[in-house]
Amino acid sequence: MLTTIIATMRRWRELAAAAACLLAIVLPEHAHAASAAVPAECKALQAKYPQFKGKTLTNAINPHTPGYEALDPNDPSKYVGFDIDLGETIGSCLGFTMAYKPVTFAALLTTLQSGQADIVISDIYATEDRAKAADFITYSKVFDGVLVAKGNPKKISGINASLCGTTAAENTGYVEVPLIQALAPSCKAQGKPEATVQLYDNNANCIQAILAGRADTYINDVNTVDQAVKAYPDKLEKATAVTLPYFVGIGVPKDKPEFRAAVMAALVAIQKAGTEKELLKKWSLGVENEATPQLIVSK
């Protein structure tokens, strides 16, 4: 019996030693990865804004924009994309955990206003009109692509008179909708029918409308358009890219200025550390899309 006990104790000592060696090998690497993901300034920000540390905050997203926010193909219960990573990094910087509430694009800001979400990071263009519903912190430039059927049979060249008589598939609430509708007087002056807009709840349905022949074009973020062309190279193409006078922004409640200030400070620290550029590279979105954070609030 004594011999068995001694042998068992010796075995436990060997296992403990092996575990210590393993920790010595693994922990430094993981510690380095964590410090690379969260800038040093974040420790000071957590001290300045302690009310957010340890909390779980909800991000309202429309998870149908590959590259930005979409269902994880390996685990449909999770979300992946640039916006997801950026939001998680902001959360890590301020010490809170991010949860998600998937909604239609048109419901993003109303979900925030109703208190069902604390933040919106979902490839949403920060416009003065939208700033009536939420304050925005910008983080990316806006370039739109014009998606058409292969060969561009309607010869569409942008948000211009080439859209007269065509049908555009767009998301409800997208800034492109009024831009297309505003072409009506010009089309009429040329004796052409105005452009028709079909409204959908997400990007995937807009793209399917072109594939099914129900729509002639879909105008949205150029990276989304490029992803669609990549997915259907024999059926779709990008006719052109246009520059819109907007930025992509993070929506925060108008009645929570301290949270807005905290997110702004975290984003500045993240950009300063080069983390946003790393995420743009990771998701093939182009580092040139990074934009210096600005506040867009209603006047």
Side-chain angles (χ1 to χ4, degrees):
M1 177 66 71
L2 181 59
T3 302
T4 302
I5 293 174
I6 293 173
T8 301
M9 292 177 66
R10 183 180 297 115
R11 180 57 178 160
W12 277 112
R13 284 197 299 269
E14 290 172 353
L15 290 173
C21 290
L22 180 61
L23 287 173
I25 294 171
V26 173
L27 283 180
E29 182 180 352
H30 279 257
H32 176 73
S35 63
V38 181
E41 289 92 334
C42 294
K43 185 176 182 180
L45 290 178
Q46 289 183 25
K48 185 176 181 179
Y49 301 103
Q51 64 268 44
F52 307 118
K53 191 172 183 178
K55 298 291 182 65
T56 297
L57 302 185
T58 300
N59 179 14
I61 61 172
N62 180 235
H64 302 284
T65 309
Y68 290 93
E69 45 274 318
L71 293 174
D72 185 342
N74 299 316
D75 185 352
S77 68
K78 297 179 181 178
Y79 302 103
V80 293
F82 169 78
D83 283 337
I84 302 300
D85 285 352
L86 182 64
E88 295 282 352
T89 304
I90 290 172
S92 295
C93 184
L94 296 174
F96 66 79
T97 300
M98 194 76 82
Y100 298 92
K101 186 175 182 63
V103 297
T104 63
F105 185 87
L108 287 173
L109 296 183
T110 54
T111 301
L112 182 72
Q113 287 179 300
S114 68
Q116 298 178 68
D118 304 288
I119 193 169
V120 174
I121 310 177
S122 191
D123 192 30
I124 184 170
Y125 295 176
T127 67
E128 289 187 7
D129 188 55
R130 287 174 178 163
K132 296 174 184 176
D135 291 341
F136 283 91
I137 304 163
T138 64
Y139 62 93
S140 179
K141 298 174 185 176
V142 169
F143 300 96
D144 261 10
V146 178
L147 185 69
V148 295
K150 193 74 174 179
N152 193 9
K154 295 296 181 70
K155 307 303 179 187
I156 297 170
S157 60
I159 305 177
N160 53 38
S162 67
L163 287 175
C164 297
T166 68
T167 299
E170 297 294 334
N171 264 339
T172 302
Y174 265 28
V175 299
E176 292 83 1
V177 174
L179 294 178
I180 295 170
Q181 292 172 332
L183 295 171
S186 176
C187 293
K188 184 177 180 180
Q190 297 178 51
K192 300 177 181 178
E194 62 186 70
T196 301
V197 178
Q198 292 179 353
L199 296 177
Y200 295 92
D201 288 335
N202 59 64
N203 297 325
N205 288 341
C206 293
I207 295 167
Q208 286 300 319
I210 298 179
L211 292 171
R214 296 192 303 272
D216 303 303
T217 187
Y218 166 55
I219 304 170
N220 190 21
D221 180 278
V222 68
N223 297 294
T224 303
V225 168
D226 287 341
Q227 289 285 341
V229 174
K230 184 178 180 181
Y232 302 97
D234 298 329
K235 298 180 179 180
L236 301 173
E237 69 177 64
K238 180 173 66 179
T240 187
V242 295
T243 303
L244 297 185
Y246 308 120
F247 292 90
V248 183
I250 297 170
V252 295
K254 300 186 74 64
D255 61 350
K256 296 184 179 179
E258 281 202 339
F259 181 56
R260 182 187 69 189
V263 173
M264 178 72 151
L267 182 59
V268 169
I270 288 165
Q271 286 194 352
K272 182 181 176 182
T275 305
E276 182 175 341
K277 282 188 171 68
E278 291 176 5
L279 295 178
L280 287 167
K281 288 180 181 177
K282 172 184 175 181
W283 293 101
S284 302
L285 298 178
V287 297
E288 68 276 5
N289 285 328
E290 182 180 271
T292 301
Q294 302 177 55
L295 288 178
I296 295 182
V297 299
S298 58
K299 298 178 181 179

